[in-house]
Amino acid sequence: MSDGFRMMKQAKETEQTILLRDWTFSFRHDRQWTVILRTERVKWVSRPFEQFTIEPTWVQFGDALLHRHVESNEVRLKVDEEWGIESKVVCDNQEWDRFVEALKQLKGE
């Protein structure tokens, strides 16, 4: 019986939405991660990926890279796919730190 419950728990999909200014990231995790990015003009769905990297000034998940330039407070988003997406927002240290902490909690770090 406990094996069945463990299998049900492992199969349960986790979903969480994290905001950074005009960007809304919806993370889904079952066996692999998937991200849906929504902006005013764009909706992008990532291909499934296994891991993502969180560093103090940049985050990479799948084909998407967010890089924060400390001097200008710009966060640049670049998606390397066939069509590609580039966008940027300006946010202060507290906003960026909250975003990074939310990602770390989601990832389980």
Side-chain angles (χ1 to χ4, degrees):
M1 191 83 158
S2 66
D3 287 337
F5 283 113
R6 188 174 338 111
M7 289 174 64
M8 285 174 52
K9 185 177 179 183
Q10 288 174 348
K12 184 178 179 183
E13 187 175 280
T14 303
E15 183 172 341
Q16 184 172 347
T17 300
I18 301 173
L19 303 174
L20 181 65
R21 288 287 169 141
D22 298 334
W23 299 334
T24 303
F25 298 93
S26 297
F27 289 84
R28 292 184 184 163
H29 184 251
D30 187 353
R31 292 187 181 161
Q32 293 185 324
W33 292 93
T34 305
V35 176
I36 300 171
L37 165 65
R38 291 178 184 89
T39 69
E40 186 176 302
R41 297 180 178 194
V42 175
K43 179 179 177 185
W44 171 74
V45 179
S46 74
R47 292 180 275 202
F49 56 94
E50 297 207 7
Q51 294 187 17
F52 60 96
T53 306
I54 304 168
E55 295 293 332
T57 59
W58 61 274
V59 175
Q60 182 165 6
F61 42 83
D63 293 324
L65 173 67
L66 285 98
H67 187 265
R68 181 161 191 269
H69 298 272
V70 180
E71 300 83 26
S72 64
N73 287 335
E74 282 185 351
V75 178
R76 294 180 187 217
L77 167 69
K78 185 172 183 182
V79 177
D80 284 327
E81 282 190 343
E82 182 180 350
W83 298 101
I85 297 172
E86 289 190 26
S87 186
K88 67 180 175 179
V89 294
V90 176
C91 67
D92 62 23
N93 291 339
Q94 290 179 341
E95 288 175 302
W96 177 255
D97 291 343
R98 280 193 302 267
F99 178 71
V100 169
E101 282 305 311
L103 290 175
K104 286 181 178 179
Q105 288 178 3
L106 174 68
K107 190 177 174 187
E109 288 186 2

